[in-house]
Amino acid sequence: MAAGTGHADRLAAALGVVLGTEGIPLRLRAWDGSEAGPLGAPVLEFRSRRALRRILWSPGQLGLSRAYVAGEIDTPGDIFAAFTALSSAGKFAEPGPFRRPTAGELLVLVRAAVRLGALGPNPAPPAEEAKVRRTGRLHTRRRDSAAISHHYDVGNDFYELVLGPSMVYSCAVWEGIPADGADGHGTGNGLVEGLDAAQEAKVDLVCRKLGLQPGMRVLDVGCGWGSFALHAASRYGATVVGVTLSAEQAKRARERAADAGVADAVDIRVQDYRDVPDGPFDAISSIGMSEHVGRAGTPRYAATLFGLLKPGGRLLNHAISWNAGVTSPDPDSFIPRYVFPDGEMISLAEMAAALETAGFEILDVEALRRHYALTLRAWVNRLEAGWDRAVELAGPGRARIWRLYMASSALGFENNLTGVNQVLVRRPGGAEPPLRRTEWL
């Protein structure tokens, strides 16, 4: 990173050592207005000395994330360009942690903080940070309920602003990259305009993979705001039980079912999937839910759903996977602190093994990694277009969390750090499925 004048040159020198930004096409702007770095490069703006103090007290991803959520660091231009520049050194592509600085690198940062007048007590974390416990048993019913509430009970109006009328909070299925996506990812209005159709295509694809027919009884695990349940009931004549741990989601899902005229066919419950008493079901959908289960809980998750399904019935598990090797969740990284407390991604192989061990037969696997990158870019576009309203609804910190999380996650999918897969399985018994997948669809 080229040197500049004023505070920016010292800031650039220190961060170039500690965060590895030396040579990255990124321009730093300091709180005194000075700049350092290549002209025309994406800008990372340090608005306050407090941002440097946060990084000093919490070196790596957590300190930088706290500064961003607090508004002490900003990306005033294209957030994807700024994060791409950082990600070119592997520094900001969620959910990969920053490398923690060595003692020597930390000393460089301390000296820079002294020169810049940034030394001081550790600033309190932004109020939006979840209180992540480091001890105690994970994924108890009470702990899972609190984690889900942290993420989903932000306000239905805020989610509708981001997700659009479809109110589907998982990967859409696109026919292709919109024409205005000249960069190969899709960046313009075509993404937003095509989002609802792509989400409808996704829920319809799930219905067809499950082989839904009129009169079938379906369990929707992690039903969200009820979009799949409404589609299955209104288009396929199914009777659906949807369970969620979010009271806000359940309220809106019931309202939507009533508005759609399918309230008699859709039963939305605030209930843990482990407590569903009225199986078995003809089919089960689990769309974007198993990421909340965790590696240790996945075998029980698979066994529970096996027990809730009739012989011959199908389960569709739609879940994000971690593609970058075996890893353990870092409670000091951005995602568990601000987005998904106790969330954990596992590999596709681990999920498939758990399902087979539970007794399921795997019928089909479909990878949708690039589809999720497009979906996330569409959500970021919607958030930025309605920024003032988003801040009004959820507060500036929460709006910034969602912007950071969705933009960096899009890069994670584009760089193949993460994937998303639909795994279709059946409980053995009953009628055999068709010979070819083309016959199901």
Side-chain angles (χ1 to χ4, degrees), residues 123-141:
E128 295 82 3
E129 184 170 315
K131 307 300 184 289
V132 180
R133 292 176 57 195
R134 298 175 180 275
T135 59
R137 183 182 170 194
L138 293 176
H139 301 293
T140 63
R141 284 162 174 78

Side-chain angles (χ1 to χ4, degrees), residues 386-409:
W387 185 258
D388 291 343
R389 178 60 175 159
V391 169
E392 179 184 337
L393 290 169
R398 187 74 66 179
R400 292 173 69 82
I401 289 168
W402 256 244
R403 184 173 183 250
L404 173 59
Y405 137 63
M406 293 190 300
S408 55
S409 293

Side-chain angles (χ1 to χ4, degrees), residues 30 59 69 85 115 140 162 193 208 248 315 318 327 332 343 355 381 401 403 429 441:
V69 173
R115 294 190 187 103
T140 63
V162 175
E193 294 167 358
R208 288 184 284 124
E248 288 282 326
L315 159 69
H318 173 122
T327 186
D332 285 335
L355 292 168
N381 288 352
I401 289 168
R403 184 173 183 250
L441 301 179

